[in-house]
Amino acid sequence: MGAFDTATGRRSILKGLGALAVGASLPARAQQMLANPGEELHAQPHLPGKGAWVDLARALKGALVLPDDPFFGDYSRPNNLRYATRPAAVARCSTADDVMACLSWAKKTGTRFSVRSGGHNYAGYSTTHGLLIDMSPMAGVKLVDEKRGLVRISGGTVNSLVYKALERLGRTVTHGRCDGVGAAGFLLGGGIGFNMRLLGIGSDLMRETELVLADGTLVNASADADKDLLWACQGGAGGNFGVNTSFTLETFPVTTVAVFEVHWSLKRDRLEQVLFDLLHRLQGAPDGFGSKISVTVPSRQARAAGTGITISAMGQAHAGIDVPQLFGPLWDEAVKDKYEPSAPYWQAQDILAEETFPYYYREQSTFLRTSDLTLEMVASMLAFADAMPGTCMASAFKFFQVGGAVNNLQPGDTAFVHRGYDWLFSSEVNWWTLKDPPSLVQENLAWQQRFYDDVRARAKGVGAYQNFPDASLKNWQRDYYGENYAKLRAVKTQVDPKSLFTYGQGIQPV
Ligand SMILES: Cc1cc2nc3c(=O)[nH]c(=O)nc-3n(C[C@H](O)[C@H](O)[C@H](O)COP(=O)(O)OP(=O)(O)OC[C@H]3O[C@@H](n4cnc5c(N)ncnc54)[C@H](O)[C@@H]3O)c2cc1C
């Protein structure tokens, strides 16, 4: 997520503003409600008295961090500031016993809680006014079976640590580009990345996962024991079945890859054909090729200064794939921002890495087939981009290339139902409340909704990616989980019949 606006250098400007972050003080109530329509889900809960918090602190091996701690803001701030709800306390869990202590305490005191690893949930589903169960101290990666290439990742590990550990092992999985995303949220909701057409999505590689369940027991779900629970954790999304304290993944050896990031800065009337050609050409790429195509709408300010919409593509190709040949004539027209024909795998990932910081955004996604992306449809998408009111930040819509190994499994093989598509379409609107007034934010969100509805209706978009949750989706059960929702409810009923784990779009027991 988060397109970079080269014209304004928005990341560097806003990084400075980020230091003032909103965790400290949100603007007026009206603005807060506008920015956070799901707020009622987190309504101020009953909070226990001081003595109960002292009990919890004593029961934990990790620290219980209270609002007067100088680092409280850092521990409690989510990536999407739209949902910067302040918890009552943060329990920094360092063991599965700590997680058990938190759950037992929350049940005893009737305190609401949320579980967080990387804090990158788009819709604020790891925020709470109650107890924030922070898994990030439970971080680590260990090779547990050299022959089968199995690694065990602790439940609170963030991507950057996973990458460094895999680099040392000369191996990889399907992973994203953002260092701060938690492995837990990424894997539980699916997990897309440039390797997915070769290896499947992240959760397809999950062989075991250990969880603390609602009744306080620790179970290890695998193909041999609790296999429906393992199935549910392969795409059934975080925060639904328990607190996952580790994941065992199958990994694959890596050597070198080609990486690229290119853009087309052309006259407006050429963009439609370029986007259409890109989507149709790249669809036929071998499975070792992964890409993301973005259409970036510059900030209002940059547009006023004459900067136009750009189309860009980034990705990687495993050995033996000729990137320029795949792009054909489009390659000659492209400005090559980054192109490395052959680099050691993890060095190449540093070139593609995405640096992010907390700000305000909404993302809306759906799955598409190339055959539905006619020139007329592509032209209509660009016309929508022209009509975007815009904010002080660049925004974008993107096409993540799926297909290949993602489609080797059937929709019911794991909880990740979205098989058989070519592209994951996603539209993002980004803003900064200090510069973008609520009415302008509202205009942009209304524009985004019209755009999204149009793409779903006319390009026959199906479903939505559960790892890009959108609190405004009405039929999220069908969109995230399709035909798998019934089985997910059955698993939920078995492991959490009273919905101890719940959130705005949480799976409900029968
Ligand atoms: C900048 C950015 C880049 C991204 N890039 C990608 C990408 O390349 N590919 C991709 O697929 N997705 C990507 N995403 C989406 C991301 O995978 C999801 O938002 C993911 O759920 C975030 O995981 P997290 O642990 O950081 O989030 P959190 O907010 O901590 O958690 C997400 C959900 O999982 C629950 N949860 C957290 N930890 C646990 C646990 N240990 N056990 C059980 N439940 C838990 C939370 O309660 C919450 O419901 C990106 C998101 C952002 C903001």
Side-chain angles (χ1 to χ4, degrees), residues 269-302:
D269 57 9
R270 176 88 184 96
L271 293 183
E272 276 128 22
Q273 193 65 46
V274 167
L275 181 56
F276 176 85
D277 289 349
L278 268 173
L279 291 164
H280 286 260
R281 273 198 83 90
L282 297 186
Q283 200 230 315
D287 293 354
F289 179 84
S291 77
K292 174 178 113 169
I293 299 169
S294 304
V295 177
T296 302
V297 182
S299 68
R300 279 170 84 84
Q301 291 78 355

Side-chain angles (χ1 to χ4, degrees), residues 228-310:
D228 284 347
L229 185 55
L230 173 68
W231 175 93
C233 290
Q234 293 177 294
N240 278 312
F241 304 104
V243 183
N244 298 66
T245 51
S246 77
F247 302 91
T248 302
L249 302 187
E250 187 173 348
T251 64
F252 295 84
V254 272
T255 51
T256 56
V257 283
V259 288
F260 60 90
E261 186 169 4
V262 298
H263 77 269
W264 290 265
S265 198
L266 301 166
K267 287 221 165 71
R268 174 63 186 82
D269 57 9
R270 176 88 184 96
L271 293 183
E272 276 128 22
Q273 193 65 46
V274 167
L275 181 56
F276 176 85
D277 289 349
L278 268 173
L279 291 164
H280 286 260
R281 273 198 83 90
L282 297 186
Q283 200 230 315
D287 293 354
F289 179 84
S291 77
K292 174 178 113 169
I293 299 169
S294 304
V295 177
T296 302
V297 182
S299 68
R300 279 170 84 84
Q301 291 78 355
R303 274 161 83 188
T307 308
I309 291 167
T310 50

